[in-house]
Amino acid sequence: MKRFAFFSTLLLLLASCNKVDEIDFRGTVIDTRECTASYVKPDLGYLVALTTPDSLGGDYTTQDGITHHNVVILYSPDRLVYRNDKIRGTFYFDDQYSLANCSIHWNDIDNIPIGVFTSISVD
């Protein structure tokens, strides 16, 4: 019985560690960055210029010289999205996602907050 109580408590603690604060958002995909160098299933980070909320992100300049404000980089969508797509959904911040899951690390986007999609739809 003690073993059951121990494992029940352990499972409860592990489950509570996974709770995240989801953020509702709207924005436009302005760029993508490779996360892994896999030809089979590449993982991409999507740089999204947020329209709502309006004060979470950093500044990002695209290759054509346009600077966008309030940009976040989001990973793991459940569908393909493309540059210039207007998207909405939810995400949570995870500043360790790139370090834990990516083999390619970009040093020019250090000021951009990192998050993970929890839901997404394309407008």
Side-chain angles (χ1 to χ4, degrees), residues 18 20-21 23 72-76 91-102 112-118:
N18 291 332
V20 294
D21 291 328
I23 298 165
V72 295
I73 186 164
L74 301 175
Y75 292 94
S76 296
F91 74 92
Y92 63 91
F93 285 117
D94 182 353
D95 61 350
Q96 299 299 310
Y97 183 90
S98 177
L99 292 173
N101 297 290
C102 298
I112 305 296
I114 298 170
V116 179
F117 288 107
T118 52

Side-chain angles (χ1 to χ4, degrees), residues 4-51:
F4 175 77
F6 171 76
F7 284 114
S8 296
T9 304
L10 181 62
L11 287 174
L12 182 62
L13 287 173
L14 290 175
S16 66
C17 291
N18 291 332
K19 185 173 181 176
V20 294
D21 291 328
E22 290 186 350
I23 298 165
D24 293 322
F25 78 94
R26 285 185 176 272
T28 303
V29 178
I30 58 170
D31 205 354
T32 59
R33 293 288 181 103
E34 288 185 14
C35 172
T36 60
S38 170
Y39 294 109
V40 178
K41 185 182 178 236
D43 193 6
L44 297 175
Y46 296 87
L47 288 133
V48 179
L50 299 176
T51 52

Side-chain angles (χ1 to χ4, degrees), residues 105-119:
H105 303 284
W106 302 92
N107 58 5
D108 64 329
I109 54 174
D110 289 342
N111 66 322
I112 305 296
I114 298 170
V116 179
F117 288 107
T118 52
S119 72

